[in-house]
Amino acid sequence: MTQMPAVRAGLDRAIDIASRGRRNVPAYAAHLRVNGYLTASIDGPGGFAGLPPMTKTDYLRRYPTGELMWYGDMSAAGTWSSTSGSSGSPTFFPRDTIALGDCVSAYERIFRDGFSAHTRSTLVVVCFAMGTWIGGTYTYQGMVGLRERGYRLSVITPGIDVDAAVRILTELGPQYEQVVLAGYPASIKDVLDRSGQDALAQDIKILLAGEAITESWRDHVLGRIGRSDQPERVCLIYGTAEAGVMGHETPLTAQLRRRATVDPVLNAQLFGENATRQPTFVEFDPQSRFTETDDEGFLLFTIDSSLPLIRYRINDKGNVLSGLDLRRIVDACGHEDLGEWIDPAAGFLVLAGRPDVAASFYGLNIYPGDLHEAFDADEVVDHVTGRFVMDPAEDGDLNQILVIAVELGESSDYSDTLDQALIAECVAALTRNNNEFRALRSHYGERTTPQIRFYTYGTGPFLPGGPKNDYARPVG
């Protein structure tokens, strides 16, 4: 049984995609037959809600790639990208002209409404990896598309080469009215930490994807560029290799998230009574990214592309709010000044995270989000990059221990003071954010204290050539 969508806008288009997919996508027709969906047509919202969800395992990896595409035509793919493989082996996904149009439109909303790029010359420095992963090529294509729509925008792609990005920011940046640094959070922090004050004094905006951020992290990078009172300068995208940009922060969602950090009633209404840490909170376009949840809280997406996805479960958990739902919550909590800016036709996603990317410790799951805020604490944030890997191991007596590999900042060295401060912050974050760990610690005490293994900058198990950090795997 699945829930009816909270956001009904876009449902008619989603039904049309499913109906055409049944007729014209060989694998989808087989998927429906295998799952016993044998009715002659997809009859309205009720029929759509009865469609079997698809997953990477039971759909994408079950059928030949060509059969997953419209009319079984592989050549419909204009561009191929792959997943990062953080929850298994990488999977390839195609994009076509529809996907590219969705990409450009999503970036236009960000660059127009968030960065005012329609009014000023803009240099975009793409610090996402430029291999087969989606971040770099997708962002580059989006920027080219914005130029074609008349934006005075230039793009350069140093990828994950931090030295090149710093040089670009320092030498090219001052020749534009603003600079947008686009990349994974840890990579952007590297660039800012290694740039001089003159470079940081420019009009800098920050575009992120690939990982969640905390408000403490946002505060830190805003402080680095001298814009502590302007949270809208940092925009986090919720994106996937399967679908590109699913949603993104707006000035409104950023302000609401920050208000929720000091208003427990708003926090509970937006993110749930039992939320132990703030989830990612983004706006999305339900016409191009129709989204619902199943009865286990997993998000389901319906998207038109050369490989259409119909009620696709990506294994992210979350919640979906309509603009009307959000406004009722915001107004009821006394934040009418923000409520009046909510578009009733928009959709909003609360992204709780992925239960399949975790480290198992004493039988419980430790998620990267449980620990992120520890690395944003004032005592440590200037000394580490934010990259870490969790690895449950055993000590000499075969007792399980949680080892956390941590990358030091480029100009930082190990010290006992840093070690003890980070251990304390990790224990505090785990105790706050993970109920099972809190119970485990009350029983086992110090045996649950993580061990920190520091690595000098550029060494260790942090996949510098990869698309984003892999937080849970053996570190050797």
Side-chain angles (χ1 to χ4, degrees), residues 56-80:
K56 190 176 293 185
T57 300
D58 72 7
Y59 185 70
L60 298 179
R61 292 179 177 165
R62 182 170 186 169
Y63 300 98
T65 304
E67 294 184 10
L68 299 169
M69 301 176 67
W70 292 108
Y71 307 103
D73 182 10
M74 289 281 285
S75 68
T79 305
W80 289 91

Side-chain angles (χ1 to χ4, degrees), residues 61-104:
R61 292 179 177 165
R62 182 170 186 169
Y63 300 98
T65 304
E67 294 184 10
L68 299 169
M69 301 176 67
W70 292 108
Y71 307 103
D73 182 10
M74 289 281 285
S75 68
T79 305
W80 289 91
S81 298
S82 73
T83 63
S84 64
S86 59
S87 58
S89 60
T91 302
F92 293 102
F93 286 94
R95 298 196 303 278
D96 59 4
T97 54
I98 293 175
L100 181 58
D102 288 344
C103 162
V104 178

Side-chain angles (χ1 to χ4, degrees), residues 361-362 392-401 447:
F361 180 57
Y362 278 87
E394 292 179 341
D395 64 16
D397 296 323
L398 302 183
N399 297 314
Q400 195 170 66
I401 56 176
R447 286 174 59 181

Side-chain angles (χ1 to χ4, degrees), residues 260-311:
T261 63
V262 295
D263 182 343
V265 176
L266 178 63
N267 194 74
Q269 289 295 309
L270 285 179
F271 306 134
E273 295 283 351
N274 299 319
T276 55
R277 60 180 185 270
Q278 274 201 327
T280 296
F281 181 45
V282 300
E283 184 174 330
F284 74 101
D285 177 8
Q287 292 292 340
S288 65
R289 299 291 186 266
F290 184 75
T291 309
E292 48 186 323
T293 56
D294 66 14
D295 54 4
E296 296 179 79
F298 287 96
L299 297 171
L300 304 177
F301 303 117
T302 298
I303 298 161
D304 194 2
S305 186
S306 51
L307 192 162
L309 300 173
I310 302 163
R311 309 196 78 223

Side-chain angles (χ1 to χ4, degrees), residues 113-387:
D113 301 338
F115 296 161
S116 298
H118 60 300
T119 65
R120 62 190 68 181
S121 62
T122 303
L123 175 67
V124 182
V125 186
V126 179
C127 301
F128 294 110
M130 294 300 296
T132 59
W133 307 289
I134 190 170
T137 56
Y138 188 84
T139 304
Y140 174 78
Q141 286 183 304
M143 298 307 103
V144 172
L146 288 182
R147 277 193 62 84
E148 292 173 350
R149 294 188 182 187
Y151 283 71
R152 293 187 299 129
L153 179 151
S154 304
V155 60
I156 187 168
T157 57
I160 58 172
D161 186 336
V162 175
D163 289 336
V166 171
R167 187 168 61 254
I168 290 164
L169 178 64
T170 302
E171 297 181 13
L172 275 183
Q175 301 178 60
Y176 289 79
E177 293 173 276
Q178 68 174 354
V179 179
V180 176
L181 297 176
Y184 314 110
S187 297
I188 296 303
K189 183 176 181 294
D190 278 348
V191 174
L192 296 177
D193 286 348
R194 293 168 62 176
S195 296
Q197 289 305 309
D198 287 346
L200 296 176
Q202 298 177 71
D203 189 350
I204 297 174
K205 310 290 175 58
I206 297 170
L207 184 64
L208 307 167
E211 301 168 8
I213 63 170
T214 66
E215 290 307 309
S216 296
W217 190 95
R218 194 194 308 266
D219 287 338
H220 175 76
V221 297
L222 288 172
R224 292 288 292 142
I225 62 175
R227 312 282 183 163
S228 297
D229 60 339
Q230 299 176 33
E232 68 278 0
R233 284 180 174 268
V234 178
C235 175
L236 176 67
I237 288 174
Y238 170 37
T240 70
E242 293 92 328
V245 175
M246 290 298 309
H248 57 85
E249 289 184 328
T250 65
L252 170 69
T253 64
Q255 287 289 356
L256 280 172
R257 193 171 188 249
R258 291 170 80 81
R259 294 263 183 110
T261 63
V262 295
D263 182 343
V265 176
L266 178 63
N267 194 74
Q269 289 295 309
L270 285 179
F271 306 134
E273 295 283 351
N274 299 319
T276 55
R277 60 180 185 270
Q278 274 201 327
T280 296
F281 181 45
V282 300
E283 184 174 330
F284 74 101
D285 177 8
Q287 292 292 340
S288 65
R289 299 291 186 266
F290 184 75
T291 309
E292 48 186 323
T293 56
D294 66 14
D295 54 4
E296 296 179 79
F298 287 96
L299 297 171
L300 304 177
F301 303 117
T302 298
I303 298 161
D304 194 2
S305 186
S306 51
L307 192 162
L309 300 173
I310 302 163
R311 309 196 78 223
Y312 177 67
R313 178 171 139 168
I314 198 174
N315 278 349
D316 283 331
K317 282 195 167 185
N319 190 28
V320 185
L321 296 169
S322 69
L324 291 174
D325 291 336
L326 182 60
R327 182 159 189 172
R328 280 193 290 267
I329 291 171
V330 171
D331 288 351
C333 292
H335 300 279
E336 296 90 344
D337 60 316
L338 293 181
E340 66 184 22
W341 294 103
I342 298 172
D343 179 358
F348 297 85
L349 288 180
V350 176
L351 186 66
R354 301 192 65 167
D356 58 346
V357 182
S360 178
F361 180 57
Y362 278 87
L364 62 88
N365 287 328
I366 305 291
Y367 300 101
D370 295 336
L371 280 165
H372 276 310
E373 63 193 55
F375 294 83
D376 300 335
D378 291 341
E379 296 85 349
V380 302
V381 68
D382 290 324
H383 305 288
V384 298
T385 64
R387 297 184 185 90

Side-chain angles (χ1 to χ4, degrees), residues 396-441:
D397 296 323
L398 302 183
N399 297 314
Q400 195 170 66
I401 56 176
L402 180 62
V403 175
I404 304 175
V406 175
E407 185 179 48
L408 289 163
E410 185 182 27
S411 59
S412 298
D413 296 312
Y414 168 83
S415 71
D416 287 338
T417 301
L418 177 60
D419 188 18
Q420 293 306 307
L422 188 52
I423 288 173
E425 292 293 344
C426 286
V427 169
L430 288 170
T431 302
R432 279 192 302 270
N433 297 327
N434 191 306
N435 294 332
E436 291 179 306
F437 179 87
R438 184 161 56 247
L440 183 74
R441 189 164 180 81

